[in-house]
Amino acid sequence: MTGPEATPSFRLAYVPGVTPAKWVRIWNERLPDIPLHLVQVPALGAQELLRAGGADAAFLRLPVEGTDLSAIPLYTETTVVVVPKDHLIAAVDEVSVAELADEIVLHPMDDALPWEQLPGRPALERPATTGDAVELVAAGIGVLVVPQSLARLHHRKDLTYRTVTDAPESRVALSWPQEKTTDQVEDFIGIVRGRTVNSSRGRAGAAPAAQPKAKDKAKRASGTGAGKGSRGGAGGSGGSKAAKGARGAAAKRGKPRRRP
């Protein structure tokens, strides 16, 4: 269906290793009438998909090229090296880039790390994808340095991974076309940033100011809020004292005497 009667929706793309489930759940709770469609894209395809209009927003890895895409950095991932379980590196908790100097370090075409200088020794060919590189590690061809989320995504029983202390890190961000910052995009930004439903920064604006209760209005109208002394009427507490004085004087006069 097209036109003004079409049901609005939100298309969210994400690259391998990113798990958008938490944010999708919150969206479905807050905006149940606007369906959210997930679009999984290759690591190098998210920016092109946004520019082509294939998604409204995307979880991708920085950097974002050009100025036409806005981005909000979300978190930084730990970098690890994937090795066979019987590899010497598996015996330690962490390694440095220098300790990989004698290793064949695979460098897939969709590498997610911003290397200035590749570690180790290069392989004869670059694997097409990270998944292909993991298969080569399992075959004993070399080792692979990746963000931890990708090591978990491509987990195998015969492989393990260890932290690389001084390797470049991957930063995950939410990105969208700057000129297409729609209401739905704003809603999702609010969810990702942890805003509540009633947040003053949300599209709904601040919550309305509290109205005075009916009981308070009645007090102001009758003037009963002036203090306890007002219960004695216009004379206040002075009227009460005068009445007590009059009763005292009458008591002193006593009963009238009978005439003889």
Side-chain angles (χ1 to χ4, degrees), residues 72-93:
I72 300 174
L74 300 178
Y75 58 89
T76 301
E77 293 192 80
T78 300
T79 302
V80 300
V81 57
V82 180
V83 298
K85 281 190 172 180
D86 58 357
H87 196 283
L88 290 176
I89 291 177
V92 299
D93 294 330

PDB file of all heavy atoms in Angstrom, residues 72-93:
ATOM      1  N   ILE A  72      26.093   8.419  15.896  1.00  0.00           N
ATOM      2  CA  ILE A  72      26.220   8.525  17.346  1.00  0.00           C
ATOM      3  C   ILE A  72      27.040   7.324  17.820  1.00  0.00           C
ATOM      4  O   ILE A  72      26.558   6.195  17.785  1.00  0.00           O
ATOM      5  CB  ILE A  72      24.850   8.505  18.033  1.00  0.00           C
ATOM      6  CG1 ILE A  72      23.986   9.666  17.556  1.00  0.00           C
ATOM      7  CG2 ILE A  72      25.017   8.550  19.554  1.00  0.00           C
ATOM      8  CD1 ILE A  72      22.573   9.621  18.101  1.00  0.00           C
ATOM      9  N   PRO A  73      28.289   7.521  18.250  1.00  0.00           N
ATOM     10  CA  PRO A  73      29.083   6.395  18.776  1.00  0.00           C
ATOM     11  C   PRO A  73      28.406   5.797  20.010  1.00  0.00           C
ATOM     12  O   PRO A  73      27.929   6.529  20.888  1.00  0.00           O
ATOM     13  CB  PRO A  73      30.424   7.045  19.135  1.00  0.00           C
ATOM     14  CG  PRO A  73      30.467   8.313  18.322  1.00  0.00           C
ATOM     15  CD  PRO A  73      29.053   8.789  18.233  1.00  0.00           C
ATOM     16  N   LEU A  74      28.373   4.467  20.078  1.00  0.00           N
ATOM     17  CA  LEU A  74      27.678   3.788  21.171  1.00  0.00           C
ATOM     18  C   LEU A  74      28.629   3.077  22.125  1.00  0.00           C
ATOM     19  O   LEU A  74      28.551   3.260  23.335  1.00  0.00           O
ATOM     20  CB  LEU A  74      26.678   2.782  20.598  1.00  0.00           C
ATOM     21  CG  LEU A  74      25.581   3.373  19.706  1.00  0.00           C
ATOM     22  CD1 LEU A  74      24.689   2.265  19.172  1.00  0.00           C
ATOM     23  CD2 LEU A  74      24.765   4.405  20.470  1.00  0.00           C
ATOM     24  N   TYR A  75      29.518   2.270  21.588  1.00  0.00           N
ATOM     25  CA  TYR A  75      30.436   1.538  22.460  1.00  0.00           C
ATOM     26  C   TYR A  75      31.650   1.080  21.660  1.00  0.00           C
ATOM     27  O   TYR A  75      31.640   1.078  20.426  1.00  0.00           O
ATOM     28  CB  TYR A  75      29.750   0.334  23.114  1.00  0.00           C
ATOM     29  CG  TYR A  75      29.160  -0.674  22.148  1.00  0.00           C
ATOM     30  CD1 TYR A  75      29.924  -1.745  21.665  1.00  0.00           C
ATOM     31  CD2 TYR A  75      27.841  -0.581  21.729  1.00  0.00           C
ATOM     32  CE1 TYR A  75      29.385  -2.670  20.796  1.00  0.00           C
ATOM     33  CE2 TYR A  75      27.287  -1.499  20.857  1.00  0.00           C
ATOM     34  CZ  TYR A  75      28.062  -2.537  20.394  1.00  0.00           C
ATOM     35  OH  TYR A  75      27.526  -3.466  19.514  1.00  0.00           O
ATOM     36  N   THR A  76      32.700   0.724  22.409  1.00  0.00           N
ATOM     37  CA  THR A  76      33.944   0.243  21.808  1.00  0.00           C
ATOM     38  C   THR A  76      34.137  -1.218  22.178  1.00  0.00           C
ATOM     39  O   THR A  76      33.964  -1.600  23.337  1.00  0.00           O
ATOM     40  CB  THR A  76      35.140   1.073  22.305  1.00  0.00           C
ATOM     41  OG1 THR A  76      34.934   2.445  21.951  1.00  0.00           O
ATOM     42  CG2 THR A  76      36.437   0.585  21.674  1.00  0.00           C
ATOM     43  N   GLU A  77      34.496  -2.029  21.195  1.00  0.00           N
ATOM     44  CA  GLU A  77      34.651  -3.467  21.422  1.00  0.00           C
ATOM     45  C   GLU A  77      36.091  -3.848  21.776  1.00  0.00           C
ATOM     46  O   GLU A  77      37.053  -3.201  21.339  1.00  0.00           O
ATOM     47  CB  GLU A  77      34.242  -4.239  20.174  1.00  0.00           C
ATOM     48  CG  GLU A  77      32.765  -4.151  19.851  1.00  0.00           C
ATOM     49  CD  GLU A  77      32.382  -5.152  18.785  1.00  0.00           C
ATOM     50  OE1 GLU A  77      32.195  -6.332  19.112  1.00  0.00           O
ATOM     51  OE2 GLU A  77      32.314  -4.742  17.608  1.00  0.00           O
ATOM     52  N   THR A  78      36.209  -4.909  22.542  1.00  0.00           N
ATOM     53  CA  THR A  78      37.513  -5.503  22.823  1.00  0.00           C
ATOM     54  C   THR A  78      38.011  -6.237  21.575  1.00  0.00           C
ATOM     55  O   THR A  78      37.226  -6.879  20.863  1.00  0.00           O
ATOM     56  CB  THR A  78      37.404  -6.491  23.998  1.00  0.00           C
ATOM     57  OG1 THR A  78      36.952  -5.782  25.154  1.00  0.00           O
ATOM     58  CG2 THR A  78      38.729  -7.160  24.288  1.00  0.00           C
ATOM     59  N   THR A  79      39.300  -6.150  21.308  1.00  0.00           N
ATOM     60  CA  THR A  79      39.897  -6.839  20.160  1.00  0.00           C
ATOM     61  C   THR A  79      40.550  -8.136  20.632  1.00  0.00           C
ATOM     62  O   THR A  79      41.242  -8.153  21.650  1.00  0.00           O
ATOM     63  CB  THR A  79      40.939  -5.947  19.476  1.00  0.00           C
ATOM     64  OG1 THR A  79      40.312  -4.729  19.060  1.00  0.00           O
ATOM     65  CG2 THR A  79      41.535  -6.636  18.260  1.00  0.00           C
ATOM     66  N   VAL A  80      40.330  -9.214  19.890  1.00  0.00           N
ATOM     67  CA  VAL A  80      40.852 -10.530  20.276  1.00  0.00           C
ATOM     68  C   VAL A  80      41.525 -11.195  19.078  1.00  0.00           C
ATOM     69  O   VAL A  80      41.305 -10.803  17.924  1.00  0.00           O
ATOM     70  CB  VAL A  80      39.731 -11.445  20.814  1.00  0.00           C
ATOM     71  CG1 VAL A  80      39.062 -10.825  22.036  1.00  0.00           C
ATOM     72  CG2 VAL A  80      38.698 -11.733  19.719  1.00  0.00           C
ATOM     73  N   VAL A  81      42.329 -12.206  19.359  1.00  0.00           N
ATOM     74  CA  VAL A  81      42.923 -13.031  18.309  1.00  0.00           C
ATOM     75  C   VAL A  81      42.310 -14.419  18.399  1.00  0.00           C
ATOM     76  O   VAL A  81      42.230 -15.022  19.473  1.00  0.00           O
ATOM     77  CB  VAL A  81      44.464 -13.089  18.437  1.00  0.00           C
ATOM     78  CG1 VAL A  81      44.907 -13.602  19.793  1.00  0.00           C
ATOM     79  CG2 VAL A  81      45.056 -13.931  17.301  1.00  0.00           C
ATOM     80  N   VAL A  82      41.838 -14.916  17.271  1.00  0.00           N
ATOM     81  CA  VAL A  82      41.214 -16.244  17.194  1.00  0.00           C
ATOM     82  C   VAL A  82      42.279 -17.254  16.797  1.00  0.00           C
ATOM     83  O   VAL A  82      42.990 -17.076  15.794  1.00  0.00           O
ATOM     84  CB  VAL A  82      40.067 -16.248  16.167  1.00  0.00           C
ATOM     85  CG1 VAL A  82      39.416 -17.626  16.100  1.00  0.00           C
ATOM     86  CG2 VAL A  82      39.031 -15.181  16.521  1.00  0.00           C
ATOM     87  N   VAL A  83      42.402 -18.321  17.589  1.00  0.00           N
ATOM     88  CA  VAL A  83      43.434 -19.348  17.365  1.00  0.00           C
ATOM     89  C   VAL A  83      42.841 -20.727  17.623  1.00  0.00           C
ATOM     90  O   VAL A  83      41.818 -20.858  18.288  1.00  0.00           O
ATOM     91  CB  VAL A  83      44.648 -19.126  18.309  1.00  0.00           C
ATOM     92  CG1 VAL A  83      45.309 -17.790  18.041  1.00  0.00           C
ATOM     93  CG2 VAL A  83      44.213 -19.232  19.769  1.00  0.00           C
ATOM     94  N   PRO A  84      43.469 -21.782  17.101  1.00  0.00           N
ATOM     95  CA  PRO A  84      43.056 -23.143  17.474  1.00  0.00           C
ATOM     96  C   PRO A  84      43.270 -23.382  18.975  1.00  0.00           C
ATOM     97  O   PRO A  84      44.138 -22.757  19.590  1.00  0.00           O
ATOM     98  CB  PRO A  84      43.972 -24.033  16.630  1.00  0.00           C
ATOM     99  CG  PRO A  84      44.393 -23.164  15.484  1.00  0.00           C
ATOM    100  CD  PRO A  84      44.502 -21.781  16.047  1.00  0.00           C
ATOM    101  N   LYS A  85      42.479 -24.264  19.547  1.00  0.00           N
ATOM    102  CA  LYS A  85      42.569 -24.505  20.988  1.00  0.00           C
ATOM    103  C   LYS A  85      43.922 -25.088  21.413  1.00  0.00           C
ATOM    104  O   LYS A  85      44.316 -24.961  22.572  1.00  0.00           O
ATOM    105  CB  LYS A  85      41.440 -25.432  21.429  1.00  0.00           C
ATOM    106  CG  LYS A  85      40.107 -24.721  21.573  1.00  0.00           C
ATOM    107  CD  LYS A  85      39.078 -25.600  22.247  1.00  0.00           C
ATOM    108  CE  LYS A  85      37.810 -24.799  22.559  1.00  0.00           C
ATOM    109  NZ  LYS A  85      36.787 -25.630  23.229  1.00  0.00           N
ATOM    110  N   ASP A  86      44.634 -25.736  20.481  1.00  0.00           N
ATOM    111  CA  ASP A  86      45.933 -26.303  20.836  1.00  0.00           C
ATOM    112  C   ASP A  86      47.091 -25.363  20.496  1.00  0.00           C
ATOM    113  O   ASP A  86      48.257 -25.747  20.570  1.00  0.00           O
ATOM    114  CB  ASP A  86      46.131 -27.656  20.145  1.00  0.00           C
ATOM    115  CG  ASP A  86      46.031 -27.564  18.621  1.00  0.00           C
ATOM    116  OD1 ASP A  86      45.741 -26.449  18.104  1.00  0.00           O
ATOM    117  OD2 ASP A  86      46.226 -28.592  17.951  1.00  0.00           O
ATOM    118  N   HIS A  87      46.773 -24.108  20.149  1.00  0.00           N
ATOM    119  CA  HIS A  87      47.813 -23.127  19.830  1.00  0.00           C
ATOM    120  C   HIS A  87      48.474 -22.645  21.115  1.00  0.00           C
ATOM    121  O   HIS A  87      47.861 -22.612  22.186  1.00  0.00           O
ATOM    122  CB  HIS A  87      47.198 -21.948  19.071  1.00  0.00           C
ATOM    123  CG  HIS A  87      48.190 -21.079  18.370  1.00  0.00           C
ATOM    124  ND1 HIS A  87      48.979 -20.147  19.029  1.00  0.00           N
ATOM    125  CD2 HIS A  87      48.529 -20.989  17.049  1.00  0.00           C
ATOM    126  CE1 HIS A  87      49.734 -19.526  18.162  1.00  0.00           C
ATOM    127  NE2 HIS A  87      49.496 -20.004  16.945  1.00  0.00           N
ATOM    128  N   LEU A  88      49.757 -22.219  21.026  1.00  0.00           N
ATOM    129  CA  LEU A  88      50.478 -21.723  22.202  1.00  0.00           C
ATOM    130  C   LEU A  88      49.794 -20.507  22.828  1.00  0.00           C
ATOM    131  O   LEU A  88      49.813 -20.332  24.053  1.00  0.00           O
ATOM    132  CB  LEU A  88      51.922 -21.363  21.808  1.00  0.00           C
ATOM    133  CG  LEU A  88      52.855 -22.545  21.465  1.00  0.00           C
ATOM    134  CD1 LEU A  88      54.210 -22.016  21.000  1.00  0.00           C
ATOM    135  CD2 LEU A  88      53.018 -23.458  22.683  1.00  0.00           C
ATOM    136  N   ILE A  89      49.183 -19.659  22.004  1.00  0.00           N
ATOM    137  CA  ILE A  89      48.512 -18.467  22.523  1.00  0.00           C
ATOM    138  C   ILE A  89      47.349 -18.833  23.437  1.00  0.00           C
ATOM    139  O   ILE A  89      47.004 -18.089  24.363  1.00  0.00           O
ATOM    140  CB  ILE A  89      48.042 -17.575  21.356  1.00  0.00           C
ATOM    141  CG1 ILE A  89      49.251 -16.969  20.643  1.00  0.00           C
ATOM    142  CG2 ILE A  89      47.098 -16.469  21.820  1.00  0.00           C
ATOM    143  CD1 ILE A  89      48.900 -16.122  19.428  1.00  0.00           C
ATOM    144  N   ALA A  90      46.751 -19.992  23.207  1.00  0.00           N
ATOM    145  CA  ALA A  90      45.618 -20.416  24.030  1.00  0.00           C
ATOM    146  C   ALA A  90      46.012 -20.648  25.486  1.00  0.00           C
ATOM    147  O   ALA A  90      45.147 -20.712  26.359  1.00  0.00           O
ATOM    148  CB  ALA A  90      44.996 -21.683  23.442  1.00  0.00           C
ATOM    149  N   ALA A  91      47.318 -20.743  25.753  1.00  0.00           N
ATOM    150  CA  ALA A  91      47.785 -21.004  27.118  1.00  0.00           C
ATOM    151  C   ALA A  91      47.905 -19.733  27.949  1.00  0.00           C
ATOM    152  O   ALA A  91      48.168 -19.803  29.156  1.00  0.00           O
ATOM    153  CB  ALA A  91      49.129 -21.724  27.077  1.00  0.00           C
ATOM    154  N   VAL A  92      47.718 -18.557  27.344  1.00  0.00           N
ATOM    155  CA  VAL A  92      47.848 -17.292  28.071  1.00  0.00           C
ATOM    156  C   VAL A  92      46.504 -16.556  28.054  1.00  0.00           C
ATOM    157  O   VAL A  92      45.586 -16.904  27.310  1.00  0.00           O
ATOM    158  CB  VAL A  92      48.958 -16.404  27.473  1.00  0.00           C
ATOM    159  CG1 VAL A  92      50.296 -17.118  27.559  1.00  0.00           C
ATOM    160  CG2 VAL A  92      48.625 -16.040  26.023  1.00  0.00           C
ATOM    161  N   ASP A  93      46.390 -15.510  28.888  1.00  0.00           N
ATOM    162  CA  ASP A  93      45.143 -14.742  28.965  1.00  0.00           C
ATOM    163  C   ASP A  93      45.080 -13.629  27.927  1.00  0.00           C
ATOM    164  O   ASP A  93      43.997 -13.261  27.472  1.00  0.00           O
ATOM    165  CB  ASP A  93      44.979 -14.136  30.362  1.00  0.00           C
ATOM    166  CG  ASP A  93      44.787 -15.196  31.430  1.00  0.00           C
ATOM    167  OD1 ASP A  93      44.234 -16.265  31.097  1.00  0.00           O
ATOM    168  OD2 ASP A  93      45.198 -14.974  32.584  1.00  0.00           O
TER     169      ASP A  93
END
